[in-house]
Amino acid sequence: MIEELSQVVLTEDLPEHHLEAGDIGTVVLVHRSAEEPSAAAGYEVEFTALDGETLTVTSVRPEQVRLARPREVPHARALG
């Protein structure tokens, strides 16, 4: 399971937040499942610009993110 302060990668676009699949964020809160407390029901993820400015903090479902893996290359893009 993904834990708080883990870096995650979006697996789908979130156009309402101007985020795209592949954007990297940090989990700031894990929402636990009421039915299965050891499982995550979702995550609050903070997305920041390279200068540290917070772009958004948003809730995502577990299937919308994955853990960042070692040896992955981050990619920068300008916000429109």
Side-chain angles (χ1 to χ4, degrees):
M1 183 173 67
I2 297 172
E3 300 295 334
E4 288 179 7
L5 303 181
S6 297
Q7 284 193 321
V8 293
V9 179
L10 274 179
T11 58
E12 61 184 63
D13 293 348
L14 298 179
E16 65 276 18
H17 298 289
H18 308 288
L19 297 171
E20 296 179 1
D23 287 348
I24 298 169
T26 302
V27 174
V28 294
L29 181 69
V30 177
H31 297 285
R32 304 286 178 191
S33 169
E35 297 81 35
E36 190 177 340
S38 64
Y43 305 99
E44 293 292 317
V45 180
E46 178 182 27
F47 293 89
T48 60
L50 291 177
D51 64 3
E53 176 188 356
T54 297
L55 302 173
T56 190
V57 178
T58 188
S59 297
V60 296
R61 297 182 313 275
E63 64 271 12
Q64 291 179 296
V65 293
R66 65 169 178 79
L67 275 172
R69 298 184 203 76
R71 309 258 324 135
E72 287 189 304
V73 177
H75 180 265
R77 66 179 178 85
L79 291 176

